[in-house]
Amino acid sequence: VLTALVLLNVSCESQTPEIDAQTPEIDALRARAEQGYARAQGSLGSMYYIGRGVPQDYVEAVRWYQLAAEQGYAEAQFILGVMYANGEGVRQDDAEAVRWFQLAAEQGFAQAQAMLGGMHATGRGVPQDDVQAHMWFNLAASRSTGELRDSSVRNRDRAADELTPDGLNEAQRLARERDAAHPVSHRVSFNNLSFVGGIAHGEVDSLPAHLPIRDIHLARSATKRCAALVNSLNPPVEICLILPVV
C-alpha cells in the first residue's frame, strides 16, 4: 500500500478555528457560512467533521464542505474527496473522490496531488496508470514540505520503478508542462486588507518560511517595508504587503 493512501485518515483540525461549544463565535461562523463565504463554510464543515463546538456529524460536514468546494475552495474539495474515499457521511465512491481530488490538485493543492497520485497508482476510481501516478507524486513533492514531501518522494520513486525509460520521460514531461501551466501560489496571511490603485495592501501576519527570496521584492521607506509578490495572472497583479520596519 502506497504511503500517500495513509492520508485518507487526514485530520481536519488544521483549518478549524478554536471555538468552544455553544458560543456566539459559532453563531457568527454559521451566519458567514450561510451568507456564502467559502472559508466559513469549510471551517464549519471541519467543526462538524471532528465534533468541535457542535455534535460530530459527517453528513452535516459533507453539506458544508460541498458548498465550499463548489465555490472552488481547494481545501474543502480535498477533504470532500477524502470523505468520498472513506465513505464518511456519503456512500463510498472512489470515482467521486478522484473528481474532487482532481479539482483541488488542479489548483496546486499538494495533499490532493499526493492523493491523486495514490489513486492512479492503485487504480482506485481511475484506471491504474504509473505515468499519471508519478506525475502527481512529483508535483506534490515539489509543492510540499515535511512528511507530505517525504512520502510523495518515496511514492514517486516507487512509481518510477514500474516505468520504462520512455514512460519515466513522459511522466517527467507531463509534470514539467503542468507545473509551467499552473505555477506555485504562495499563501500569505495578512490583516486589514484594502485596495489602492488596484494594489492590495495589508498588515502581514506571516510569510511562508520556504518562500524563495527571488519571489519577494523589498523596498524600504521611512515607515514601511513593502513585499511585492507578482502572481502568474495575465496581466500580472502586484500585491503590496505592508511590513514593520526592521
Side-chain angles (χ1 to χ4, degrees), residues 4-72:
L5 295 184
V6 175
L7 295 175
L8 288 174
N9 296 318
V10 64
S11 168
C12 300
E13 293 194 31
S14 60
Q15 67 164 205
T16 308
E18 292 288 343
I19 299 178
D20 294 330
Q22 306 304 316
T23 65
E25 286 84 356
I26 290 180
D27 294 336
L29 179 64
R30 188 182 300 277
R32 287 180 62 79
E34 290 173 346
Q35 291 167 12
Y37 290 96
R39 189 171 185 83
Q41 291 169 340
S43 294
L44 192 57
S46 293
M47 295 177 72
Y48 277 107
Y49 187 94
I50 63 176
R52 173 178 290 165
V54 294
Q56 186 180 49
D57 187 333
Y58 285 156
V59 173
E60 191 69 1
V62 166
R63 182 170 82 87
W64 289 109
Y65 280 137
Q66 180 112 21
L67 289 170
E70 288 173 351
Q71 295 194 66

Side-chain angles (χ1 to χ4, degrees), residues 156-167:
R156 179 197 64 192
D157 293 346
R158 288 171 184 160
D161 290 341
E162 302 298 322
L163 293 171
T164 64
D166 286 345

Side-chain angles (χ1 to χ4, degrees), residues 187-190 203-209 241 243:
R187 290 189 176 185
V188 180
S189 176
F190 54 95
E203 299 169 1
V204 170
D205 267 348
S206 63
L207 287 170
L241 304 171
L243 302 173

Side-chain angles (χ1 to χ4, degrees), residues 2 4 13 28 33 57 67 81 87 100 106 134 175 190-191 195-196 205:
L2 292 175
E13 293 194 31
D57 187 333
L67 289 170
W100 288 111
E106 294 284 357
H134 187 283
F190 54 95
N191 298 317
F195 288 87
V196 179
D205 267 348

Side-chain angles (χ1 to χ4, degrees), residues 123-139:
R124 288 187 58 181
V126 288
Q128 197 279 335
D129 188 330
D130 288 317
V131 169
Q132 287 291 311
H134 187 283
M135 180 196 73
W136 286 115
F137 285 136
N138 204 5
L139 290 169

